[in-house]
Amino acid sequence: MTTVFIISAPSGSGKSTLVNRLMAEVEGLTFSVSCTTRAPRGSEVPGQAYDFIDRSEFERRIAADEFLEHAEVFGNYYGTHSSALDKAKAAGKDLVLDIDVQGAAQLKKRIPDAVTIFILAPSREILEQRLRARSQDSDETIRRRLNDAMGEIRNYGQYDYVLVNENLEPAVESLKSIVRAERVRRVRVEEKIRPILATFGQE
Ligand code: 5GP
């Protein structure tokens, strides 16, 4: 059984670092590489960070119903191709998605058992400092991202878990704990329980 973990956060919340640590430190996870129409930034490797495609190809994929969810964020399209879930299922892995609040809402409707996690910076000031420190974006983009962050944060109530990323290590531990706890839900271990019950002479 594949559990889908959806992680959302305004940019600058430290989400990428947390997600990278989760992927490196918990076994059995696959990261869903999204498709986007935005241009690659700095060191981003196509096919690793994103599948970078143009608008007309993205629109063709929407029309062909190839996305599990898609949304327009900061004027660009982003979407999760349905092959991401198919591949994770075939490999017997859990799937981790880093998607925005619109995509998370669409996916939760489609996959109600998906586990949703929202990551929050401890304050607006810290979010702004983090956005400036990574200096990947222009002033104009940073202003827009801060404004959008306010809108995104209002949606935290849609999520199953909310992590305040004040200090990296405790936040990483909490994220790993969520994944590990979700893996021992009864529905996840049902198949393992039957043979155990049989050893007690019970069905
Ligand atoms: P960035 O351009 O900074 O990589 O990402 C901008 C926003 O798009 C982030 O909030 C990120 O979570 C979101 N995003 C990335 N991939 C997807 C996707 O496949 N679907 C949706 N709905 N949002 C995505």
Side-chain angles (χ1 to χ4, degrees), residues 122-140:
S123 69
R124 188 189 183 283
E125 288 67 34
I126 292 174
L127 184 65
E128 183 167 356
Q129 277 168 24
R130 288 180 183 167
L131 281 173
R132 293 198 182 282
R134 71 181 193 187
S135 62
Q136 284 175 333
D137 300 306
S138 64
D139 263 12
E140 157 72 24

Side-chain angles (χ1 to χ4, degrees), residues 47-61:
Q48 242 174 51
Y50 284 104
D51 184 7
F52 296 100
I53 58 177
D54 64 24
R55 251 184 128 77
S56 65
E57 173 58 14
F58 202 103
E59 282 164 357
R60 188 198 65 72
R61 293 185 191 185

Side-chain angles (χ1 to χ4, degrees), residues 5-9 13-26 29-32 95-99 117 119 163 165 168 171-172 175-176 179:
F5 293 96
I6 301 174
I7 305 179
S8 301
S13 315
K15 178 180 52 178
S16 305
T17 309
L18 283 170
V19 170
N20 290 340
R21 289 281 304 270
L22 176 71
M23 300 307 298
E25 294 171 30
V26 176
L29 295 173
T30 306
F31 183 73
S32 166
L95 187 66
V96 175
L97 297 101
D98 165 352
I99 62 176
I117 305 160
I119 297 168
L163 271 183
N165 185 15
L168 182 62
V172 169
L175 189 54
K176 286 159 63 176
V179 171

Side-chain angles (χ1 to χ4, degrees), residues 7-12 15-16 31-36 38-39 41 44 49-50 58 67 69-74 76-81 97-104 106 134 136-137 145 152:
I7 305 179
S8 301
S11 46
K15 178 180 52 178
S16 305
F31 183 73
S32 166
V33 177
S34 296
C35 303
T36 184
R38 88 151 159 74
R41 284 193 201 116
E44 284 179 336
Y50 284 104
F58 202 103
F67 292 114
E69 63 72 36
H70 68 275
E72 197 153 354
V73 189
F74 313 126
N76 285 301
Y77 281 132
Y78 293 82
T80 306
H81 201 272
L97 297 101
D98 165 352
I99 62 176
D100 85 319
V101 295
Q102 307 168 72
Q106 288 175 43
R134 71 181 193 187
Q136 284 175 333
D137 300 306
R145 285 184 181 239
E152 291 214 338

Side-chain angles (χ1 to χ4, degrees), residues 30 92 105 152 157 160 174 188:
T30 306
E152 291 214 338
D160 300 315
S174 296
R188 274 286 300 249

